Amino acid sequence: MLEINNLVKHRGTHEILSGISFKARPGRVTGFLGPNGAGKSSTLRILLGLDRATSGSALINGKPFAELHNPLATVGASLDGSGAHRKRTGRAHLRWIARAAGLPNSRVEEVLEIVGLTDAAGQKVGKYSLGMGKRLGMAAALLGDPQILVLDEPVNGLDPEGIRFIRTFLRERAESGNTVLLSSHLMGELAETVDDVVIIKHGKIVADGTLEQVIGNHSSLEEAFFALTSEKAGDTV
Amino acid sequence: MRAFNAELSKLFSLPGIWLAYLIGAIAPAAISALESMAQKEEILAGVSTRLSEVGYIGLALGVQGVIILGVLAVSSEYLTESSESGGGQQITTSLTVVSSRFHLLLAKACAVTVTSILLSVVAIMTTISATHFVLGEYTPAFEVSKLIGAVCYWTFTALLAFGITVLTRNGIIPLAVLIINTSVVSFSFLLSKVTKLALYLPDRVGIEMFMFTSDRFLTPFTGGLVMFAWVFVLFIVAAIVFHRRDVAA
């Protein structure tokens, strides 16, 4: 379970998040949507302890990230790009992460197999395509077999096969009782994958509910999204 | 301990850092060999005034290897991927793998310390061998206490480079300043012409651990303590800044 409570973030004089609250529940895929600059990444960064909140809290199974003992076994995360140094090989990157979590090298090979990077594991990350980098980030997130996954734009840059793989994979994770929170701006993909939707605009939540609730009377998630986030739209659903 | 293992694994899987090991193992030996060749005639004639520096000069001027090590250990975390690759940084991965920032920084500092000690031991062996090769039986005896001083100097220098890079998050400035300072022109030496307080700067007091400087004023042990104090204070400042800073900032 992920809980964001009244989260406020200021950067300089700019208010990036204005007291947002939502939950991502076990057994469900929660889609976190918003235009660029709405505060999606800032929220995920605070949740993962990368940035500090000005006020409010972001809890992972009831605790802030900094209090997790073995974070990799609780929450797997993939944010911008691969999160790897470009001169290291994909395998070497996963191996140091495995060391930090006390996992054997055999687990590295398992996750490489899951994301389909086994053949490219010996290449330097700098040679990877955007999609391969995303797969590597995903492999790192899966190393500790966590109950929670937090993914920023997981299908961005993937080919159709990759998108289908992520979609099926995330559905399976959620159906076996795990929590999945993903941000995306690809509405079509998101509608096929998520159970719950949270929409953020200018640092405020403008919609929060099941996919059906958020779509409401609109013809699709995309229609609902634009109705909610266009400048003329009201502040809340 | 796991975080420490992960940091060691990072240090040994980065190609740039192998350059640091190579320079660390070769540069002091090369400098000492050249210096010994230049001094050879005077040493053989028994009139050399710089006998006490033979060998050690290489260990004093050849610290670039550990400087690169200390800088790259941190700057590699902040190297940004190209925007086509998503523009990520390894630091986000490091911080999502180890939840305590202090533990991460401590693990990294320990990995740099251990690697620097090993590298300085290798450098001492290559330096002594190179000096013996040039001077043969005229090689002065190397004192263990001075060699320990050289190991401390190297390790503290690596940690200073490490601490400065935590503050700058970019390797270029610390690398340029520290390498120029140790090899081309010593800023602390220049400053010492202006104020005697500059003699307390870390590179200057550190040298006291194994070199006789003309304006020596501290014992080797006190010199080491003063340099350690610099390292300690810088680490505390770096830890506070690292703890408070947003990764995105």
Side-chain angles (χ1 to χ4, degrees):
Chain A
M1 167 84 99
L2 299 170
E3 282 179 272
I4 308 288
N5 301 313
N6 218 358
L7 204 60
V8 176
K9 174 69 181 173
H10 293 178
R11 190 160 287 145
T13 54
H14 190 56
E15 189 169 74
I16 295 166
L17 298 172
S18 322
I20 65 163
S21 302
F22 66 89
K23 286 180 181 155
R25 296 172 177 81
R28 302 183 73 83
V29 177
T30 305
F32 189 31
L33 280 97
N36 286 340
K40 298 190 297 288
S41 293
S42 291
T43 307
L44 299 188
R45 296 176 91 87
I46 292 169
L47 180 64
L48 296 167
L50 297 170
D51 291 1
R52 277 164 185 277
T54 305
S55 66
S57 64
L59 305 176
I60 298 167
N61 287 344
K63 285 182 186 171
F65 182 85
E67 288 175 21
L68 299 176
H69 279 298
N70 187 0
L72 220 56
T74 310
V75 55
S78 171
L79 300 180
D80 306 320
S82 63
H85 192 285
R86 63 171 91 117
K87 290 289 169 72
R88 222 177 249 121
T89 65
R91 182 176 280 117
H93 174 67
L94 293 174
R95 283 191 173 177
W96 75 251
I97 302 174
R99 296 251 148 75
L103 298 165
N105 283 342
S106 58
R107 178 64 189 155
V108 168
E109 300 307 317
E110 282 173 28
V111 292
L112 281 168
E113 186 71 41
I114 293 173
V115 302
L117 269 185
T118 305
D119 292 340
Q123 279 180 36
K124 292 203 170 128
V125 175
K127 298 215 167 109
Y128 284 12
S129 64
L130 179 59
M132 287 161 87
K134 278 280 168 201
R135 284 168 187 256
L136 182 64
M138 189 71 157
L142 293 174
L143 265 177
D145 194 19
Q147 310 129 8
I148 300 171
L149 283 178
V150 176
L151 309 167
D152 198 3
E153 304 279 358
V155 294
N156 203 8
L158 292 188
D159 55 13
E161 190 200 346
I163 293 174
R164 190 188 167 92
F165 157 75
I166 294 279
R167 187 160 66 209
T168 320
F169 183 78
L170 295 183
R171 292 265 18 117
E172 283 170 9
R173 294 291 294 188
E175 273 149 29
S176 51
N178 296 298
T179 307
V180 179
L181 174 65
L182 62 94
S183 80
S184 185
H185 61 265
L186 300 172
M187 299 304 141
E189 288 314 321
L190 211 65
E192 301 263 332
T193 316
V194 301
D195 304 295
D196 297 326
V197 177
V198 178
I199 300 180
I200 185 171
K201 176 191 161 190
H202 294 327
K204 293 192 177 87
I205 302 294
V206 292
D208 181 2
T210 63
L211 182 63
E212 294 73 30
Q213 285 170 345
V214 172
I215 293 177
N217 296 329
H218 301 281
S219 60
S220 66
L221 179 60
E222 187 171 324
E223 288 297 321
F225 176 81
F226 284 115
L228 289 162
T229 58
S230 65
E231 289 308 317
K232 288 175 286 182
D235 271 344
T236 336
V237 182
Chain B
M1 199 62 200
R2 285 170 173 180
F4 171 71
N5 285 340
E7 291 304 325
L8 272 187
S9 173
K10 281 183 193 171
L11 284 186
F12 284 94
S13 60
L14 203 61
I17 289 189
W18 284 96
L19 178 72
Y21 301 146
L22 196 69
I23 293 176
I26 293 173
I31 296 169
S32 297
L34 290 174
E35 173 74 4
S36 301
M37 280 181 218
Q39 292 279 313
K40 193 170 180 181
E41 277 186 18
E42 289 183 15
I43 291 172
L44 296 191
V47 294
S48 172
T49 53
R50 293 167 63 191
L51 198 60
S52 66
E53 287 182 11
V54 168
Y56 297 106
I57 187 87
L59 295 170
L61 297 178
V63 286
Q64 289 81 10
V66 285
I67 291 175
I68 298 173
L69 171 72
V71 168
L72 280 191
V74 181
S75 67
S76 62
E77 295 281 350
Y78 291 99
L79 183 74
T80 308
E81 293 174 71
S82 65
S83 53
E84 300 92 65
S85 311
Q89 292 177 324
Q90 186 184 282
I91 186 74
T92 57
T93 311
S94 298
L95 289 173
T96 49
V97 169
V98 179
S99 52
S100 158
R101 292 193 179 195
F102 181 70
H103 284 166
L104 176 68
L105 200 67
L106 193 63
K108 210 176 243 313
C110 288
V112 168
T113 303
V114 169
T115 316
S116 302
I117 292 173
L118 292 177
L119 187 56
S120 58
V121 170
V122 171
I124 285 171
M125 290 194 293
T126 58
T127 303
I128 292 179
S129 309
T131 316
H132 267 280
F133 181 74
V134 175
L135 296 178
E137 59 180 306
Y138 292 92
T139 310
F142 286 85
E143 292 166 42
V144 174
S145 63
K146 281 186 169 189
L147 293 178
I148 292 173
V151 171
C152 291
Y153 178 68
W154 275 47
T155 308
F156 294 163
T157 302
L159 289 173
L160 287 173
F162 170 88
I164 294 169
T165 317
V166 171
L167 300 177
T168 62
R169 283 182 287 183
N170 179 313
I172 296 181
I173 296 169
L175 212 52
V177 170
L178 292 170
I179 288 186
I180 290 172
N181 186 54
T182 51
S183 56
V184 183
V185 51
S186 164
F187 299 120
S188 53
F189 174 76
L190 293 180
L191 264 179
S192 70
K193 302 290 167 200
V194 181
T195 163
K196 288 290 165 202
L197 282 176
L199 295 174
Y200 285 95
L201 286 169
D203 54 331
R204 183 62 186 71
V205 286
I207 293 278
E208 306 268 5
M209 287 189 277
F210 60 101
M211 295 275 280
F212 281 107
T213 45
S214 52
D215 44 2
R216 168 169 228 163
F217 69 115
L218 292 176
T219 63
F221 184 72
T222 325
L225 276 186
V226 175
M227 190 175 185
F228 179 74
W230 277 99
V231 171
F232 185 75
V233 169
L234 184 63
F235 182 78
I236 298 293
V237 172
I240 293 170
V241 170
F242 186 64
H243 183 72
R244 293 188 170 185
R245 190 161 54 194
D246 280 358
V247 172

